[in-house]
Amino acid sequence: MAEPVRARRLTDEEGRRLQQVVRRGKHGSVRVRRAMIIMASASGTLVPAIARLVAADEDTVRDVIHLFNARGLAALDPRWAGGRPRLISEDDVAVIVAAARSRPETLGQPFTHWSLRKLAAYLAGRDRPVRIGRERLRQILHARGISFQRTRTWKESADPDKDAKLDRIEYVTSHYPDRCFAFDQFGPLSIRPCHGVCWAPRKRPVRLRATYHRTHGIRYFHGCYSLGDDQLWGIVREHKGADHTLAALKSIRAARPGGYRLFVIMDNLSANKTAAIRRWAKRENVELCFTPTNASWANPIEAQFGPLRTFSMGGSDHPSHAVLARKLQAYLRWRNANARHPDVLAAQRRERARIRSERHQRWGHPKPKAA
C-alpha cells in the first residue's frame, strides 16, 4: 500500500512566509488556497480533509503537494497553460473601441447609446464580424478607459465676435498684466449649511444641521481682481446692478490713480454696458474687455472664486449674511497677504481646470467635434 501524500518538513522561512499568506489573505485566492494546502499537509492533515477544507478535488491537493516538494514556495504561483489561441486580434480591438466611442445612430442603429448586448450584437452583424462575449467586451473597454458615464451639457457661445474678444483678452493679459483687472459677480449666496471638507477621525465626519429656513434672501459678491499684483477685493451686495458695477470700476481706477490706460475684463451683461459706464470708461481711460456670450470662463477672476468658496464657505453654517460678509473679508485679507501661498495657487488651478472642462473649451485648442 502506497504511503499517504504529505508535504515535506517546512523550513523556518517557508513556515513564516506561508503563515503570512494564509493570515493576511491579500495575495489572491489561488495563492491563499495553495498555502493552506501546504501548511495543512506539512502539519499532518490528510489529503481528504484538506480537500474539504479548501473545497477542491483530492487530485488537485496531491498535485500541489507534489509540486511543493519539488519546487518549494514556487508552487504557490501556478504556471497556467497558454489556452486556446486568441480569437480577437488587435485590429478587432480597434474596431470595438471605435464602435463603442461612436454614436449608434451614426452607425445606422436605432438607439441613442450602447449597451454591452447591443454593441456585441452590432459587432457580430458587421460585414467583417467580430464575435465576442459581453464579459470579454467589458474587459476590453475597461482596459482602454471606456465606461458608462452620465452625459453632461455645455453652452456654445453664439457671439459672432467670439474669436476677436478672446484674442483681445489674451493679448492684454499677456502684454499688459500689470494694467489688467477683472470684475465679476459671484453668487447668489444664501444662508444655509454648506458642505465642505475638513480633518476628522475616520468615519466620524463633522456634522452640519439639515433643517434650516430660507428667510434671509440671497446676496452677491462683487469682486475685483488685479492680475499684476494678484490681489482680490470686493463687497457683498443684495442684488446686481449697473450702479454696483460702476462702483467696482471706480475702485479699480482708484487702485491705479496714474491716469494711464487700464484694461478691465468683465462679463458681457447688459448691466455692465450702460451708457453711464461707457462714458466713465472713456473719460477715465479704461478699456472694457467683454467676454463672449456664454463664455464667462475666459474671465480671469473666475478661478479666484473657487478658493473663495472652498475656504470661506465650505463646511460653514453662517447665521446671517453679515457674518458671511465678515468671513469673506477676513479671508480676502489673508489671501492678499499670502497671494502666492501654495494652497491658494493649487485651489486656483483646480478651479480653472474645472471651469474650462465644464465648458469643453481650452484656449489655443480647437473645439472637439461630436462623435
Short mmCIF file of all heavy atoms in Angstrom, two decimals, residues 103 149-155 353-360:
data_model
loop_
_atom_site.label_atom_id
_atom_site.label_comp_id
_atom_site.label_asym_id
_atom_site.label_seq_id
_atom_site.Cartn_x
_atom_site.Cartn_y
_atom_site.Cartn_z
N ARG A 103 -21.48 57.27 -31.79
CA ARG A 103 -22.91 57.29 -31.50
C ARG A 103 -23.60 56.22 -32.34
O ARG A 103 -23.31 56.09 -33.54
CB ARG A 103 -23.50 58.66 -31.81
CG ARG A 103 -22.92 59.77 -30.96
CD ARG A 103 -23.59 61.10 -31.28
NE ARG A 103 -22.98 62.19 -30.56
CZ ARG A 103 -23.28 62.55 -29.32
NH1 ARG A 103 -24.22 61.87 -28.67
NH2 ARG A 103 -22.69 63.56 -28.73
N GLN A 149 -20.91 56.48 -18.54
CA GLN A 149 -20.86 57.75 -17.83
C GLN A 149 -22.09 58.56 -18.20
O GLN A 149 -22.63 58.45 -19.29
CB GLN A 149 -19.60 58.53 -18.20
CG GLN A 149 -18.30 57.82 -17.86
CD GLN A 149 -17.10 58.68 -18.16
OE1 GLN A 149 -17.15 59.90 -18.05
NE2 GLN A 149 -16.01 58.05 -18.56
N ARG A 150 -22.51 59.38 -17.24
CA ARG A 150 -23.65 60.25 -17.49
C ARG A 150 -23.26 61.36 -18.46
O ARG A 150 -22.15 61.88 -18.42
CB ARG A 150 -24.16 60.87 -16.18
CG ARG A 150 -24.73 59.86 -15.21
CD ARG A 150 -25.33 60.55 -14.01
NE ARG A 150 -26.43 61.42 -14.39
CZ ARG A 150 -27.68 61.02 -14.52
NH1 ARG A 150 -27.99 59.73 -14.33
NH2 ARG A 150 -28.64 61.85 -14.84
N THR A 151 -24.20 61.71 -19.33
CA THR A 151 -23.96 62.81 -20.25
C THR A 151 -24.01 64.14 -19.51
O THR A 151 -24.65 64.26 -18.46
CB THR A 151 -25.00 62.81 -21.38
OG1 THR A 151 -26.31 62.90 -20.79
CG2 THR A 151 -24.91 61.54 -22.20
N ARG A 152 -23.35 65.13 -20.05
CA ARG A 152 -23.34 66.45 -19.45
C ARG A 152 -23.63 67.48 -20.53
O ARG A 152 -23.53 67.21 -21.73
CB ARG A 152 -21.99 66.74 -18.78
CG ARG A 152 -21.61 65.69 -17.75
CD ARG A 152 -20.41 66.10 -16.95
NE ARG A 152 -20.71 67.28 -16.13
CZ ARG A 152 -19.84 67.79 -15.28
NH1 ARG A 152 -18.65 67.26 -15.15
NH2 ARG A 152 -20.16 68.84 -14.56
N THR A 153 -23.99 68.66 -20.08
CA THR A 153 -24.35 69.73 -21.01
C THR A 153 -23.28 70.81 -21.00
O THR A 153 -22.53 70.96 -20.03
CB THR A 153 -25.70 70.35 -20.64
OG1 THR A 153 -25.63 70.89 -19.32
CG2 THR A 153 -26.80 69.29 -20.68
N TRP A 154 -23.23 71.57 -22.05
CA TRP A 154 -22.37 72.74 -22.11
C TRP A 154 -22.97 73.71 -23.11
O TRP A 154 -23.75 73.34 -23.99
CB TRP A 154 -20.94 72.36 -22.50
CG TRP A 154 -20.80 71.78 -23.88
CD1 TRP A 154 -21.20 70.57 -24.32
CD2 TRP A 154 -20.22 72.43 -25.02
NE1 TRP A 154 -20.90 70.39 -25.63
CE2 TRP A 154 -20.29 71.51 -26.09
CE3 TRP A 154 -19.63 73.67 -25.23
CZ2 TRP A 154 -19.80 71.82 -27.36
CZ3 TRP A 154 -19.14 73.98 -26.48
CH2 TRP A 154 -19.22 73.06 -27.53
N LYS A 155 -22.65 74.97 -22.93
CA LYS A 155 -23.18 76.03 -23.78
C LYS A 155 -22.13 76.48 -24.77
O LYS A 155 -20.99 76.78 -24.39
CB LYS A 155 -23.64 77.22 -22.92
CG LYS A 155 -24.81 76.93 -22.01
CD LYS A 155 -25.20 78.17 -21.24
CE LYS A 155 -26.39 77.89 -20.33
NZ LYS A 155 -26.77 79.09 -19.55
N ALA A 353 -9.20 74.56 -14.03
CA ALA A 353 -9.39 73.34 -14.81
C ALA A 353 -10.84 72.89 -14.80
O ALA A 353 -11.36 72.43 -15.82
CB ALA A 353 -8.49 72.22 -14.26
N ARG A 354 -11.53 73.06 -13.66
CA ARG A 354 -12.92 72.65 -13.59
C ARG A 354 -13.78 73.52 -14.49
O ARG A 354 -14.65 73.02 -15.22
CB ARG A 354 -13.43 72.76 -12.15
CG ARG A 354 -14.86 72.27 -11.97
CD ARG A 354 -15.37 72.63 -10.58
NE ARG A 354 -15.52 74.05 -10.41
CZ ARG A 354 -16.58 74.75 -10.84
NH1 ARG A 354 -17.57 74.14 -11.47
NH2 ARG A 354 -16.65 76.05 -10.65
N ILE A 355 -13.54 74.83 -14.48
CA ILE A 355 -14.35 75.75 -15.28
C ILE A 355 -14.18 75.44 -16.76
O ILE A 355 -15.15 75.32 -17.52
CB ILE A 355 -13.96 77.20 -14.97
CG1 ILE A 355 -14.38 77.57 -13.53
CG2 ILE A 355 -14.62 78.15 -15.97
CD1 ILE A 355 -13.87 78.91 -13.10
N ARG A 356 -12.95 75.27 -17.21
CA ARG A 356 -12.72 75.05 -18.63
C ARG A 356 -13.17 73.67 -19.07
O ARG A 356 -13.60 73.48 -20.21
CB ARG A 356 -11.24 75.27 -18.94
CG ARG A 356 -10.84 76.73 -18.79
CD ARG A 356 -9.42 76.97 -19.24
NE ARG A 356 -9.10 78.39 -19.17
CZ ARG A 356 -7.92 78.90 -19.48
NH1 ARG A 356 -6.95 78.11 -19.90
NH2 ARG A 356 -7.69 80.19 -19.40
N SER A 357 -13.07 72.68 -18.19
CA SER A 357 -13.55 71.35 -18.56
C SER A 357 -15.06 71.33 -18.68
O SER A 357 -15.60 70.62 -19.53
CB SER A 357 -13.09 70.33 -17.52
OG SER A 357 -13.69 70.58 -16.26
N GLU A 358 -15.76 72.09 -17.84
CA GLU A 358 -17.21 72.15 -17.95
C GLU A 358 -17.63 72.79 -19.27
O GLU A 358 -18.64 72.41 -19.88
CB GLU A 358 -17.81 72.92 -16.78
CG GLU A 358 -17.82 72.14 -15.47
CD GLU A 358 -18.53 72.90 -14.39
OE1 GLU A 358 -18.90 74.07 -14.62
OE2 GLU A 358 -18.72 72.33 -13.30
N ARG A 359 -16.89 73.77 -19.72
CA ARG A 359 -17.22 74.45 -20.99
C ARG A 359 -16.72 73.68 -22.20
O ARG A 359 -17.01 74.05 -23.33
CB ARG A 359 -16.62 75.86 -21.01
CG ARG A 359 -17.03 76.72 -19.82
CD ARG A 359 -18.52 76.83 -19.70
NE ARG A 359 -18.89 77.74 -18.64
CZ ARG A 359 -20.11 77.84 -18.15
NH1 ARG A 359 -21.07 77.05 -18.62
NH2 ARG A 359 -20.40 78.69 -17.20
N HIS A 360 -15.89 72.65 -21.98
CA HIS A 360 -15.27 71.92 -23.09
C HIS A 360 -14.46 72.87 -23.96
O HIS A 360 -14.41 72.72 -25.17
CB HIS A 360 -16.32 71.20 -23.94
CG HIS A 360 -16.95 70.06 -23.24
ND1 HIS A 360 -17.63 69.08 -23.90
CD2 HIS A 360 -17.01 69.71 -21.92
CE1 HIS A 360 -18.10 68.20 -23.06
NE2 HIS A 360 -17.73 68.56 -21.84
#
